[in-house]
Amino acid sequence: MKRSTKINLLIVLAVVLLAALPVVFGMGDDKDEPFAGADTQAETAITENDPDYKPWFSPLYEPPSGEIESGLFALQAALGAGVVGYMFGVKRTRRKLAPEASDTPDESGPGPDPATAEDPVSAPGR
Amino acid sequence: MHIAEGYLPWEHAAAWGVASAPFVVHGARALTREVRDRPENTLLLGASGAFSFVLSALKIPSVTGSCSHPTGTGLGAVLFRPPIMAVLGTITLLFQALLLAHGGLTTLGANVFSMAIVGPWAGYGAYRLTRSLLDRRGGTMPLDVAVFAGAFVADLSTYCVTSVQLALAFPDPDSGFPGALAKFGGIFSLTQIPLAISEGLLTVLVVRLLRQSSRGDLIRLGVLTDARPVREEEKSK
């Protein structure tokens, strides 16, 4: 396996562990409602600091159930992941179809000024 | 996690809206210019917005025993600069406010200020600072470290601002603003630390993949300045 692929897999593994370990170690066990949203906790804290405060506006549309809400969150993630995946697919295909261009800048653009491209100390900004 | 609908007094909600509006208008101009002048970047631009869409939909458990979600604004801030992320972040927040009852329309100004303005700018600053410190070393390490720093700071600073916003609106009855800041910071910022690490790692992953598949784009965007880093990586394969 290529070294860069190994590093990429390690990154994915680290992200999975960071999300899984709090659950595995039961870090929410001492709470009334383990792993509730931080925004719900903030609402409770607001009521503690200002018991008289009443929210003065409610959402125009509220998903009628937790199932529908989680479905809409999944839809949001799916839309985003679809676009990101599409982009990588297009870039990969372009690169494969133009192998001689893979060592030079993307064929879809005018490419950088050779002078700046070869100058390792030029500023990273545009 | 954004400030829920109706959970800011209207004076605060209005003030944050006024503070955010110029950034979003300026960002919309920058976005139009980018799409018009550099159409070859549009696909990557769309993917940067989509990355924020994915990450802010994922509620992830944290060490505090509660859940929050990343913001995904660091990637776009590094690739396209913060003004453009003011618009893309606002779109994500609007989607969640309108369809998911997450965040809200009255708190949109405050949430835009934290997630779409301060987050991207702080992240971009951390990215540029890290690059200026490390770039002389060469290789791929400086870029990876700088991208990690940018995404981590963008994510964490967003929730620090949220904590400040709530502490300003709801000071503690005994200890005032500092007490409230500690309280809301414990809820938002502490929870966010492992998530910000995750976001940093995922953003580094995307940039590493981009370096393989579309190095030309990264050079054009000024993220890569020379061909050397990838050549070194190819040698080590």
Side-chain angles (χ1 to χ4, degrees):
Chain A
M1 198 188 291
K2 280 188 283 184
R3 184 168 163 269
S4 60
T5 315
K6 270 187 208 156
I7 295 175
N8 291 350
L9 286 176
L10 279 176
I11 290 176
V12 174
L13 182 69
V15 171
V16 171
L17 285 178
L18 273 170
L21 289 181
V23 184
V24 171
F25 287 115
M27 293 175 115
D29 289 355
D30 54 332
K31 307 250 172 168
D32 300 338
E33 198 190 338
F35 298 111
D39 50 354
T40 318
Q41 293 186 330
E43 287 168 24
T44 316
I46 287 170
T47 321
E48 279 169 23
N49 281 10
D50 188 353
D52 298 330
Y53 187 79
K54 292 271 178 292
W56 53 282
F57 198 83
S58 48
L60 298 177
Y61 169 77
E62 205 155 357
S65 75
E67 279 71 19
I68 295 174
E69 185 184 333
S70 65
L72 285 168
F73 268 104
L75 177 71
Q76 184 189 336
L79 282 174
V83 173
V84 173
Y86 173 77
M87 191 254 331
F88 274 115
V90 169
K91 299 287 179 194
R92 210 184 152 83
T93 313
R94 269 188 202 157
R95 209 188 140 190
K96 283 203 164 154
L97 291 180
E100 74 280 5
S102 65
D103 204 39
T104 53
D106 195 348
E107 73 283 3
S108 66
D113 180 33
T116 48
E118 278 161 26
D119 177 14
V121 288
S122 67
R126 281 210 301 263
Chain B
M1 288 294 180
H2 316 299
I3 304 178
E5 185 76 280
Y7 271 92
L8 270 187
W10 70 268
E11 303 91 333
H12 287 256
W16 290 115
V18 169
S20 296
F23 288 93
V24 178
V25 171
H26 170 244
R29 285 203 191 124
L31 182 66
T32 329
R33 210 164 40 233
E34 179 76 29
V35 173
R36 191 187 57 216
D37 298 348
R38 283 179 282 272
E40 66 275 12
N41 289 343
T42 309
L43 189 56
L44 194 53
L45 185 67
S48 302
F51 185 71
S52 171
F53 238 61
V54 184
L55 286 204
S56 58
L58 297 177
K59 295 183 179 173
I60 301 173
S62 175
V63 287
T64 50
S66 55
C67 277
S68 186
H69 61 76
T71 63
T73 55
L75 177 68
V78 165
L79 295 181
F80 291 100
R81 305 195 72 243
I84 283 182
M85 282 323 285
V87 185
L88 299 183
T90 304
I91 294 171
T92 307
L93 285 165
L94 256 179
F95 180 91
Q96 295 197 324
L98 289 175
L99 285 180
L100 302 169
H102 185 59
L105 292 179
T106 58
T107 51
L108 185 66
N111 290 329
V112 165
F113 197 82
S114 61
M115 178 174 139
I117 296 167
V118 174
W121 274 109
Y124 184 69
Y127 162 78
R128 290 298 295 266
L129 182 70
T130 316
R131 286 210 70 165
S132 68
L133 293 175
L134 293 179
D135 255 357
R136 266 174 232 165
R137 302 180 64 129
T140 58
M141 190 274 285
L143 179 61
D144 284 350
V145 174
V147 167
F148 178 86
F152 177 86
V153 169
D155 184 317
L156 193 58
S157 63
T158 297
Y159 289 91
C160 293
V161 173
T162 304
S163 309
V164 170
Q165 288 169 330
L166 283 174
L168 282 172
F170 303 101
D172 191 87
D174 304 317
S175 51
F177 174 78
L181 185 61
K183 191 176 199 172
F184 290 115
I187 292 173
F188 284 111
S189 306
L190 274 185
T191 306
Q192 204 63 28
I193 291 174
L195 272 68
I197 297 175
S198 293
E199 173 165 356
L201 290 172
L202 285 174
T203 310
V204 168
L205 181 65
V206 169
V207 172
R208 289 177 64 88
L209 294 174
L210 280 176
R211 206 161 52 209
Q212 291 171 358
S213 66
S214 45
R215 198 153 51 89
D217 287 321
L218 294 185
I219 293 174
R220 203 165 53 228
L221 290 167
V223 174
L224 283 181
T225 48
D226 61 321
R228 198 183 42 184
V230 171
R231 287 208 184 117
E232 280 184 5
E233 192 167 77
E234 277 167 358
K235 267 183 220 158
S236 65
K237 275 171 195 169

